[in-house]
Amino acid sequence: MGLAAMARGRAGAGEQGGRMSMQGVPKFLVPLASWMARRYQAAVGAKLKKYGLRYDDLYDPLFDLDIDEALKRVPEEEYQLRLQRLKRAMDLSMKHTYLSKDMQEKQTPFLHYLQEPLQQVQAEAEEKEKLGTGRHYERSIP
């Protein structure tokens, strides 16, 4: 599975803050679903480590306006680190290579930096919707 496929697949993943929601899963299937979720998370983590990415790096600000707004609220240093990770991943992908094994061991793919600002943006959007006002960053998606 390539990076683009992982990014497309995350929209309906049902995750919040790295935890899978078991809502709607029959009680007898919860252990199986939990086991499958752990296996999937391990596989995604291994792939992200190969490129030196974090899970939050897969969010596309052009696809979701809430992501764009949340990225504006992230500290500048973290935003620059994100850009460097994305550049490195694209470079490695173009060269058809991965990070060295010792560099992969140092990676933290599930250390979230975007979840808190994203939850704030979504809460604000929900509140504005309840008040009947529009979002201040409305625009049409290309």
Side-chain angles (χ1 to χ4, degrees), residues 65-126:
L65 300 177
D66 288 344
I67 301 297
D68 187 40
E69 183 66 22
L71 282 171
K72 292 176 184 174
R73 298 180 186 196
V74 169
E76 182 66 24
E77 181 181 355
E78 187 63 50
Y79 184 73
Q80 291 301 322
L81 290 171
R82 176 184 195 268
L83 293 178
Q84 290 301 316
R85 286 190 300 269
L86 290 170
K87 287 178 186 177
R88 177 178 57 192
M90 286 187 278
D91 183 52
L92 290 169
S93 179
M94 293 298 288
K95 292 177 180 177
H96 300 283
T97 186
Y98 300 123
L99 286 177
S100 63
K101 293 291 183 187
D102 60 322
M103 284 296 291
Q104 287 183 32
E105 291 173 5
K106 296 177 184 177
Q107 301 304 310
T108 54
F110 295 108
L111 182 63
H112 299 285
Y113 62 91
L114 195 59
Q115 296 302 315
E116 187 176 324
L118 181 58
Q119 289 172 354
Q120 291 173 352
V121 167
Q122 290 171 340
E124 289 171 9
E126 185 178 316

